[in-house]
Amino acid sequence: MDGQVETMEQGVLGHLMALERGGMGQQDQHESQRLEMLKVRAVTLRAQRDQLKHQADAVKILKDKISKDLPLDDADAAGGFIELQKSLLTAWRMQLKDLQRAHHLIGGYDLVECKEGKSLCVSFHTAFEGVYLETYNMELDLTRTVQISRHNIPPSFPLESIAKQLLQKDLKGFLQTLSQKLNALAGRRQQVYLLKELVGSVEVMESSQLCNILVLMCTAQGETPKAVLCTLEYGDLTQCLPTRVSIECEDKTLSESPQWKKNQLLLLESPAHTALLTMRRMGSIA
Amino acid sequence: MSRLNRLRKIMEQKYEEEIQMLQQEIEMLEAEQEETLRSIFIEHGDRLQHELKSVFEERGGAQKPTLSKLITEVRELEKDLRRQTEINGIALNECFVKTLHKSERKLVQQLRLAGHCSVLLFQVEFAVTEIQEGDALLRRVTELNIVVDGVEFKDFSAFVSRVEDTKDLLLFFRTLRTFSERCEERRQTFQHFQMTPTSQFQVQSHPSKLPVLQKPLFDIKSLPTYYFENAVASWK
């Protein structure tokens, strides 16, 4: 079938080219080139498809042999044996790549040795509640002492102090601490983002680069809506939750009420956006 | 000339249609190949590794040229995996991947991993969705199930439940590293005490390999809790 198509193509193309030889403009030349390119592409893809089919058959043979517990190195199928080995190795390579991806997905450092072992590149993957966020990268120079040569960690982050403490004596500890703190930072930032997205009625009055302080203005529901200022202090930079929450309102009875004591606890024990969504659902705030 | 153009247009269209069909066929064949190879590994991983040993042991000229590129690739990948295992402190013994959906911009996969972190064994199943939006890759974990040693510690058990609810896969593994370090330190501490000549207390092996003092000379809680307090604080 393919053979017939090929001859037909040659026939039509040949006809076209003969026609073209009789006076051809610039545009015509381009167009016949395009046709030629398309033909080449089709032929290439056909070959690729056929090769894949051939490989698939080899793999199926392999699978069949393995399931039937047959020996894989029959002397009579010499050429076939190489195909089998190729399939084996391809299967093994696939598994290894899956393992690499797994390490990457669970937040591994994706360590890469550069410059013949003179330097290391690591990545810090961050995520919050299942959503993958920023990835920070760092190159460590190993020639004499361990030094950070390049990185893209935000300047407000206390990188130098952590490096001073841990980099020389405990590399894994250094990486772990960085990972912890970068993830906590990403988590706090994400909470501010989600807060703005999901709870539009709450105003973010103040938030710092390191997100170690968050001041929110909510509107308390009641006979007359009242403004309530919630200050969340994140004293522990390895955490996504605040260490202290204070509630301020002109109306002291409101801020001292059991409802708002509960709200204060909510803000201490759950992520900011989750707490505020609950508070809104309970009718506490607008 | 218009007859020429008409012919050309017909041929171009024919080729374009065939190209599209071939591309789809190739995509399908590649996906099928991936799944078949993975399934071979799931069912017969041990036997494959055994068979491959002989392939690797052929050094020098004995290696067939068609295979040598693959062999080099596999060797490099194994070397890299050793590096990642060492630096991440997580050893993966099993890795099953199932691709539920794959298109130009979206990928949905289910993964099942089993391994250990120092002395703690774990089994983690999760689903991940990746969407390519322009330059950015959006990735999120949509399901998470965890089975892990050490859940007899109430705080750790509560932590694992919470992490499953929030799908915080990365937090789980970060914390697992810290927690397993503490468990190992604790185990070594108890082993040390087991050595003292005056054994006024006995150390019994707990089923999960974490020793538990039977007749403590001092309150067990007062000994290593500071180890755990730090670990617990980081589990929030």
Side-chain angles (χ1 to χ4, degrees), chain B residues 18-106:
Chain B
E18 195 192 351
I19 286 170
Q20 201 183 31
M21 193 194 75
L22 283 167
Q23 280 171 333
Q24 281 175 353
E25 225 186 311
I26 286 170
E27 224 176 85
M28 204 188 68
L29 282 167
E30 283 176 339
E32 225 181 270
Q33 176 89 320
E34 244 184 58
E35 283 313 305
T36 312
L37 288 173
R38 283 205 176 107
S39 75
I40 290 179
F41 243 88
I42 290 173
E43 290 167 41
H44 309 284
D46 295 329
R47 170 127 187 242
L48 278 186
Q49 290 197 35
H50 177 75
E51 295 285 345
L52 281 172
K53 259 174 70 178
S54 58
V55 174
F56 278 104
E57 269 147 29
E58 284 176 28
R59 285 180 183 277
Q63 279 174 11
K64 323 286 183 297
T66 46
L67 294 182
S68 64
K69 182 165 165 248
L70 262 177
I71 291 175
T72 312
E73 254 186 273
V74 167
R75 284 215 173 99
E76 281 302 315
L77 282 167
E78 292 208 297
K79 195 167 145 199
D80 184 67
L81 265 171
R82 277 194 291 272
R83 251 184 244 134
Q84 305 310 331
T85 304
E86 163 62 30
I87 198 75
N88 295 339
I90 307 275
L92 295 175
N93 306 120
E94 274 172 27
C95 172
F96 300 149
V97 180
K98 190 166 165 198
T99 304
L100 297 177
H101 172 97
K102 185 173 177 181
S103 63
E104 203 184 303
R105 289 193 310 156
K106 188 169 172 185

Side-chain angles (χ1 to χ4, degrees), chain A:
Chain A
M1 187 59 146
D2 267 355
Q4 280 182 356
V5 175
E6 283 288 317
T7 3
M8 204 166 70
E9 280 171 355
Q10 276 158 6
V12 177
L13 258 186
H15 183 60
L16 276 174
M17 286 168 92
L19 284 171
E20 282 166 10
R21 256 172 260 137
M24 191 153 57
Q26 188 73 312
Q27 204 203 10
D28 287 335
Q29 242 180 352
H30 282 176
E31 283 176 14
S32 71
Q33 269 171 11
R34 175 175 155 77
L35 189 59
E36 189 62 29
M37 255 169 40
L38 283 175
K39 182 192 177 195
V40 166
R41 180 122 177 86
V43 165
T44 312
L45 286 177
R46 256 181 245 149
Q48 194 183 357
R49 190 266 321 265
D50 292 341
Q51 201 199 23
L52 279 173
K53 272 197 170 157
H54 180 68
Q55 273 175 13
D57 289 337
V59 170
K60 285 195 185 111
I61 293 174
L62 169 71
K63 189 169 178 189
D64 196 50
K65 281 196 165 181
I66 291 187
S67 329
K68 296 193 179 139
D69 220 5
L70 290 171
L72 297 180
D73 55 350
D74 330 60
D76 53 35
F81 179 44
I82 296 200
E83 277 303 315
L84 242 48
Q85 283 194 318
K86 206 159 127 187
S87 305
L88 276 175
L89 284 169
T90 312
W92 187 223
R93 183 182 62 182
M94 166 116 280
Q95 171 71 339
L96 291 172
K97 286 202 154 152
D98 283 348
L99 282 164
Q100 262 185 336
R101 179 163 160 79
H103 271 282
H104 172 79
L105 287 173
I106 63 176
Y109 300 113
D110 291 347
L111 185 96
V112 177
E113 274 178 19
C114 324
K115 302 178 186 157
E116 293 141 22
K118 293 205 200 116
S119 76
L120 292 175
C121 289
V122 287
S123 299
F124 299 98
H125 299 293
T126 62
F128 181 68
E129 293 189 339
V131 178
Y132 288 77
L133 302 164
E134 297 83 15
T135 295
Y136 300 100
N137 302 298
M138 178 180 285
E139 188 177 354
L140 295 164
D141 183 60
L142 304 172
T143 38
R144 271 170 293 128
T145 54
V146 187
Q147 299 267 28
I148 302 173
S149 47
R150 289 189 291 173
H151 70 87
N152 63 351
I153 291 173
S156 54
F157 189 83
L159 178 60
E160 284 78 37
S161 62
I162 301 172
K164 206 161 149 186
Q165 237 187 340
L166 293 165
L167 189 55
Q168 299 312 321
K169 50 184 176 153
D170 183 9
L171 178 66
K172 278 202 215 168
F174 169 72
L175 296 176
Q176 175 89 334
T177 306
L178 268 188
S179 183
Q180 238 182 346
K181 291 198 157 145
L182 285 169
N183 268 278
L185 173 62
R188 295 192 300 271
R189 280 222 285 250
Q190 180 74 344
Q191 285 175 59
V192 175
Y193 165 74
L194 286 171
L195 209 144
K196 289 179 180 166
E197 285 284 306
L198 304 172
V199 200
S201 55
V202 170
E203 210 183 309
V204 178
M205 306 290 293
E206 198 186 308
S207 162
S208 59
Q209 285 272 32
L210 281 181
C211 293
N212 52 355
I213 193 152
L214 188 60
V215 183
L216 307 167
M217 175 119 92
C218 323
T219 312
Q221 300 275 55
E223 282 175 9
T224 47
K226 299 196 175 85
V228 179
L229 214 66
C230 306
T231 305
L232 281 65
E233 287 171 42
Y234 297 84
D236 185 349
L237 291 181
T238 63
Q239 299 303 314
C240 286
L241 292 176
T243 45
R244 207 171 100 99
V245 170
S246 40
I247 311 283
E248 287 161 58
C249 182
E250 258 184 16
D251 182 352
K252 285 278 184 270
T253 53
L254 189 82
S255 46
E256 300 294 310
S257 66
Q259 189 193 87
W260 276 92
K261 285 289 169 208
K262 245 174 52 185
N263 288 343
Q264 189 181 22
L265 205 62
L266 258 179
L267 285 165
L268 263 172
E269 295 181 343
S270 46
H273 61 292
T274 314
L276 290 165
L277 281 170
T278 307
M279 280 154 69
R280 188 169 68 181
R281 206 174 51 235
M282 310 290 267
S284 208
I285 61 167

